[in-house]
Amino acid sequence: MNWLPKSPKARRRLWVVAAAAPVLALAVGLSLWAMKDNVTFFYSPSEVTVEKVPTGQMIRLGGLVVEGSVVKNTDGSVRFTITDNEATAPVHFKGDLPDLFREGQGIVAQGRYGPDRTFEATQVLAKHDETYMPREVADRLKETGEWRPESGSYQPAGK
């Protein structure tokens, strides 16, 4: 029993589809492979491990700026620590911080971990008013029970 259609027109269509399908699959596969480096995942400080986030991998790190941790250097760089009330992560950023950046505020920093496990941020995003917090940070705070929706902010553990 022959599986090919009897009509020459139908056979031609079948060969076109049979030839186009692998080309299309290869194009989709190559596109997805090329985009894998452009995907940026969000982590909180307690989720960051050497196994999950190797040195040099671009990520977004979110949390609350620890009170008293912001140190502005003379070269224009800033060092600060962020926390999710379970773990902390040191952050180094060279550039202009958002106008609304301050201690105790939720931020998201995009960058990479260096060999010394200090987060080298290339971009720092801060909330734009008193009630807004980046969605990822708010979700993490809700998971840990630190989010207080009635006040629109967080309350540190143990208070």
Side-chain angles (χ1 to χ4, degrees):
M1 180 176 217
N2 192 358
W3 57 273
L4 288 174
K6 293 184 181 191
S7 164
K9 195 174 190 181
R11 281 186 185 201
R12 218 172 313 136
R13 279 192 215 133
L14 180 65
W15 284 114
V16 167
V17 169
V23 171
L24 182 62
L26 180 66
V28 168
L30 287 173
S31 297
L32 291 173
W33 182 73
M35 288 189 306
K36 74 178 173 135
D37 291 335
N38 293 332
V39 175
T40 306
F41 293 104
F42 175 83
Y43 294 93
S44 64
S46 61
E47 295 174 325
V48 175
T49 62
V50 177
E51 295 80 30
K52 273 189 179 178
V53 183
T55 300
Q57 179 183 346
M58 180 68 78
I59 66 164
R60 287 188 178 151
L61 184 65
L64 305 165
V65 180
V66 175
E67 297 283 340
S69 69
V70 178
V71 176
K72 295 184 179 181
N73 301 322
T74 57
D75 64 353
S77 65
V78 179
R79 291 189 178 276
F80 57 93
T81 304
I82 62 172
T83 184
D84 60 359
N85 291 325
E86 289 181 27
T88 60
V91 178
H92 178 255
F93 177 67
K94 187 165 186 168
D96 294 328
L97 288 169
D99 291 337
L100 297 173
F101 177 89
R102 65 184 176 278
E103 296 174 348
Q105 170 186 327
I107 65 140
V108 174
Q110 184 168 326
R112 295 176 164 84
Y113 270 97
D116 61 350
R117 296 309 282 174
T118 296
F119 190 74
E120 298 292 333
T122 56
Q123 183 180 26
V124 174
L125 306 171
K127 65 183 184 177
H128 60 74
D129 68 11
E130 291 303 314
T131 59
Y132 175 78
M133 182 174 290
R135 186 183 78 236
E136 296 93 344
V137 174
D139 290 344
R140 298 290 189 240
L141 290 173
K142 287 175 186 174
E143 287 173 12
T144 61
E146 303 298 325
W147 179 255
R148 305 291 185 255
E150 61 277 357
S151 66
S153 64
Y154 82 100
Q155 183 171 343
K159 290 192 177 181

